[in-house]
Amino acid sequence: MHEMYRKIDGWDDRLERCPFCGYAAEMWEYEPTPEYYQKVVMCANGGDGQDEPECPMYMPPEGFYRATKVDAAEAWNKRIAA
């Protein structure tokens, strides 16, 4: 099975925490079609499946998806600071 999302390590300390829930942010690579990659920063709060709800930024809208890691980090940090 084709994995569409893969976590990218080494970026967590450069990302602002999520303003909705305060959880840490994570950088991910998204491959919607073979050989086409995008980067996105997401909130790490996927909920616990019982009491804690999933953060709306766990899967952010398309405006956060970028071609490079640097651009994805900037998109997250700029929108979070606004």
Side-chain angles (χ1 to χ4, degrees):
M1 182 175 166
H2 177 70
E3 292 293 325
M4 292 177 58
Y5 285 91
R6 288 180 289 283
K7 187 171 185 306
I8 300 172
D9 293 321
W11 283 82
D12 298 353
D13 63 337
R14 301 178 204 183
L15 304 170
E16 298 292 330
R17 296 183 79 75
C18 179
F20 290 95
C21 67
Y23 271 63
E26 300 173 331
M27 176 83 65
W28 289 80
E29 181 173 70
Y30 174 59
E31 186 180 6
T33 59
E35 304 302 317
Y36 177 68
Y37 300 96
Q38 293 180 308
K39 311 307 184 269
V40 63
V41 177
M42 302 179 178
C43 177
N45 181 5
D48 66 5
Q50 296 175 3
D51 300 326
E52 186 178 0
E54 180 179 288
C55 178
M57 295 307 286
Y58 177 67
M59 292 296 286
E62 283 188 33
F64 285 85
Y65 289 73
R66 297 288 196 268
T68 69
K69 294 178 250 185
V70 171
D71 289 344
E74 286 178 0
W76 174 266
N77 290 337
K78 283 180 183 175
R79 293 219 180 149
I80 296 310

